[in-house]
Amino acid sequence: MTSGKKNIIFLTGFSYSGKSVVGRAVASHLSWAFVDIDDEIVKAAGKDIPQIFEQDGEPRFRKFERDVLEQICHRQKLVVATGGGIIVNPDNRKLMAKSGAVVCLETTPETIYQRLLQQNDNEPDAVRPLLTADDPLQRIKSLKASRQQYYDTADYMVRTDKLSIDEVCVEVVKGYEWTVAGFACMVETASRSYPVFVGWDILAELGMRMRQVGLDGKACIVSDRIVSSHYGVQVKESLEEAGFTVCSVDLPPGEESKTIDNAIKIYDFLLEHHVERGDVIVALGGGVIGDLAGFVAATFLRGVPVVQVPTSLVAMVDASIGGKTAVNHPKGKNLIGSFYQPSLVFTDVKILHTLSGRELTSGWAEVIKHAMILDPALLDFLKKHTKALISLDEEATVEVIKWNVGLKAGVVSEDEREQGRRIILNYGHTIAHGLEAATGYKRFLHGEAVAIGMMGAAVLSQKLGILSEKVVWRQRDVISAFGLPTNCSVVSKDIVVAMMEWDKKVKGGGVRWVLLQDVGHTVVWSD
């Protein structure tokens, strides 16, 4: 077990999502105790829940709910069915997250409504507050939507509509086991759903996790020579222990390796080793290897599975999530590529200790980017824990990487192919890609260019009158605190602008800028 979590499973979800019946099934399967928080509230109050609401009001009910939650969090080997609204209170969410694994049973409003009608037919005398609304289904949709952001904070989510009780039980147990073993989140796209694991010193578990997601056969490790010298043997041993036949190919490190010529070298290697469509490519490296190996996986035999094992901070928090694969062209970065989701992302944060200081510093740019465009609370965390993160404190670093993975996964799950909201993840990248291309991908690390690009985008936002100077300085301060550059005056602006015109975000001949209105609020500006 990790992160001090106890043997408690909290089931959250909207009313009639099946928390009680599933909770009893899970408890029976694990030979644990089962507690329904609503039942405990009724015992403590000496009256049923509708009476509590009617006679004492909702605040009194929420006080009972909190007291019961605090009591059961001291126990072990327990499955807990929570009330539908318990997660609205941030203190409750923090307590559950600290005390156990939180699994959400996700159900559509239509399914909830049908279950409600069915139970009403079976128990006509019972009180069903949701059915007293003029439009019960609309009321369910509205109330569920207001809580969805809190349900989404669960460690693991099970979509129950088309599953039997036994099938939901199996998924809940899997979610619990994954959560205590480093599970961070599920990325759920139209083309594929896959888990992301984040932990400290977990590299030896890679082969086992690959087996758990249904991979087998031959595993071809694609890496660079530096990363392979550190971790190639350990990864090979993990895969062989899990029953994989292993082969490996190493490339020179650096952005210069992300070319179509090197993709062809990997194709030749795969053909030489008779890699088949059912085998798997393991991308062991930073963003360059992840992009290149992912591109090869997407195109070889029209697609073979790929596992991302990121070894740089940039790759851990950003590049490994979301299925963007590509090689560079002399005219610009990532111009030849495809969207191709991995089968698994497996991140051992301890690996960051072998990065050079400059490479590690570069990675914080993507973390800062996520904070600026998506989450003010993350920005506050970065400011508060700067020293701990720079020194790779285990607890703080694992937490912030999981946090970033969740943010990126949420955007990717909503917009897999960058046809809508996903474009906001390009904040700072328009100038960054221009800088990288203008300098032949040799002068700047990606994160360094992104940091400069973010400052350019923020200043542009201010000049357009949509962002306050205060936020510009706030961004500048956090970028500087992590040792990243905020400006560049030694590269020809004209060359950078010319390279920007080849950027993938150009549409109708005009650059689409991702700009800021405030921390957590972006706008796409095409002008």
Side-chain angles (χ1 to χ4, degrees):
M1 294 178 62
T2 62
S3 303
K5 287 180 180 281
K6 300 180 177 69
N7 293 323
I8 303 178
I9 299 174
F10 297 98
L11 297 179
T12 65
F14 199 78
S15 301
Y16 299 95
S17 60
K19 298 185 294 290
S20 295
V21 64
V22 170
R24 291 186 178 90
V26 172
S28 176
H29 177 86
L30 295 174
S31 297
W32 289 5
F34 170 74
V35 168
D36 187 312
I37 285 184
D38 284 351
D39 289 346
E40 297 301 307
I41 292 173
V42 169
K43 292 178 185 177
K47 61 183 77 172
D48 61 30
I49 291 174
Q51 288 178 316
I52 299 174
F53 271 85
E54 181 180 351
Q55 298 173 12
D56 306 317
E58 183 175 357
R60 179 61 172 162
F61 171 81
R62 297 303 174 192
K63 177 65 166 57
F64 276 122
E65 189 174 59
R66 175 68 181 182
D67 291 344
V68 169
L69 181 62
E70 289 179 339
Q71 292 170 12
I72 63 179
C73 283
H74 293 290
R75 298 171 62 178
Q76 290 274 14
K77 294 185 176 181
L78 189 66
V79 180
V80 181
T82 68
I86 196 170
I87 43 78
V88 174
N89 185 313
D91 293 332
N92 291 342
R93 296 198 301 274
K94 290 178 183 178
L95 182 57
M96 289 190 291
K98 178 181 178 181
S99 303
V102 181
V103 179
C104 178
L105 304 186
E106 177 64 11
T107 313
T108 65
E110 290 76 15
T111 299
I112 293 167
Y113 181 53
Q114 290 302 318
R115 290 175 181 174
L116 179 58
L117 290 177
Q118 182 178 5
Q119 188 168 357
N120 193 62
D121 290 341
N122 295 333
E123 303 175 31
D125 295 330
V127 177
R128 311 281 180 222
L130 286 173
L131 288 180
T132 62
D134 293 337
D135 187 342
L137 179 56
Q138 185 56 44
R139 171 61 177 158
I140 292 169
K141 289 180 178 179
S142 175
L143 186 56
K144 185 174 184 296
S146 71
R147 296 176 179 175
Q148 195 62 48
Q149 61 178 315
Y150 308 121
Y151 294 139
D152 289 344
T153 63
D155 296 310
Y156 192 80
M157 184 171 288
V158 180
R159 302 189 182 279
T160 68
D161 298 84
K162 298 180 180 180
L163 300 181
S164 67
I165 297 300
D166 288 342
E167 288 171 332
V168 176
C169 176
V170 168
E171 286 296 310
V172 169
V173 173
K174 181 175 75 173
Y176 167 73
E177 291 175 344
W178 281 7
T179 297
V180 298
F183 174 78
C185 67
M186 287 291 292
V187 183
E188 301 193 33
T189 69
S191 64
R192 177 177 288 129
S193 298
Y194 53 94
V196 181
F197 285 87
V198 177
W200 189 273
D201 198 18
I202 61 173
L203 196 57
E205 301 173 9
L206 174 61
M208 175 186 66
R209 298 301 174 198
M210 288 171 59
R211 284 293 190 187
Q212 284 182 337
V213 297
L215 298 171
D216 58 15
K218 191 173 296 178
C220 179
I221 304 169
V222 178
S223 189
D224 72 47
R225 292 166 189 163
I226 294 177
V227 172
S228 182
S229 68
H230 286 295
Y231 302 108
V233 172
Q234 188 177 357
V235 168
K236 182 174 183 290
E237 290 176 349
S238 174
L239 298 179
E240 288 178 339
E241 287 177 6
F244 291 92
T245 301
V246 182
C247 59
S248 60
V249 57
D250 298 337
L251 299 168
E255 191 75 28
E256 299 92 336
S257 288
K258 205 168 77 174
T259 65
I260 195 69
D261 289 338
N262 276 325
I264 291 172
K265 289 179 183 179
I266 300 173
Y267 294 141
D268 292 342
F269 180 86
L270 298 176
L271 290 169
E272 179 185 344
H273 287 80
H274 305 287
V275 171
E276 300 175 355
R277 188 176 288 179
D279 296 327
V280 57
I281 292 174
V282 178
L284 174 65
V288 169
I289 289 297
D291 280 3
L292 178 58
F295 175 75
V296 169
T299 51
F300 185 72
L301 301 178
R302 295 194 176 97
V304 298
V306 62
V307 170
Q308 293 284 353
V309 186
T311 60
S312 70
L313 182 55
V314 171
M316 288 179 182
V317 301
D318 189 67
S320 66
I321 313 290
K324 279 189 175 181
T325 73
V327 294
N328 296 334
H329 186 278
K331 290 287 189 180
K333 185 171 180 177
N334 298 331
L335 291 182
I336 306 168
S338 67
F339 290 93
Y340 189 71
Q341 302 297 336
S343 297
L344 167 71
V345 179
F346 189 85
T347 297
D348 185 345
V349 180
K350 188 178 180 181
I351 286 175
L352 294 178
H353 274 296
T354 56
L355 288 183
S356 69
R358 185 184 174 196
E359 287 176 310
L360 180 61
T361 297
S362 172
W364 291 115
E366 295 290 352
V367 176
I368 295 167
K369 179 198 76 176
H370 287 151
M372 293 304 301
I373 65 174
L374 291 167
D375 196 339
L378 176 58
L379 190 62
D380 292 338
F381 185 91
L382 296 177
K383 182 177 180 180
K384 182 178 180 180
H385 299 280
T386 302
K387 290 184 178 179
L389 292 169
I390 289 175
S391 64
L392 294 182
D393 172 81
E394 177 180 341
E395 183 176 353
T397 310
V398 169
E399 180 176 354
V400 85
I401 291 176
K402 281 188 174 182
W403 195 336
N404 276 263
V405 163
L407 291 173
K408 176 74 181 283
V411 175
V412 168
S413 297
E414 180 182 329
D415 177 19
E416 179 180 10
R417 302 183 68 83
E418 201 171 289
Q419 296 175 330
R421 185 168 182 249
R422 186 169 177 173
I423 194 175
I424 70 173
L425 297 175
N426 289 311
Y427 177 62
H429 285 59
T430 300
I431 293 175
H433 288 171
L435 278 172
E436 290 174 294
T439 54
Y441 306 106
K442 295 178 180 179
R443 181 180 181 88
F444 298 102
L445 295 180
H446 179 63
E448 294 168 343
V450 168
I452 295 167
M454 284 194 292
M455 287 311 308
V459 171
L460 180 56
S461 301
Q462 181 191 358
K463 288 181 179 296
L464 290 169
I466 62 173
L467 183 68
S468 70
E469 184 180 10
K470 179 180 178 181
V471 175
V472 176
W473 278 101
R474 190 177 180 193
Q475 176 181 275
R476 189 188 303 273
D477 288 346
V478 71
I479 288 175
S480 298
F482 278 88
L484 288 158
T486 58
N487 60 72
C488 174
S489 59
V490 297
V491 180
S492 167
K493 184 174 66 174
D494 291 339
I495 297 176
V496 174
V497 171
M499 290 300 181
M500 282 166 45
E501 292 175 355
W502 290 99
D503 190 87
K504 302 181 301 303
K505 295 173 288 302
V506 169
K507 186 175 182 181
V511 174
R512 290 186 296 164
W513 291 87
V514 180
L515 303 177
L516 274 187
Q517 294 176 306
D518 199 352
V519 179
H521 298 280
T522 57
V523 62
V524 179
W525 196 289
S526 299
D527 191 335

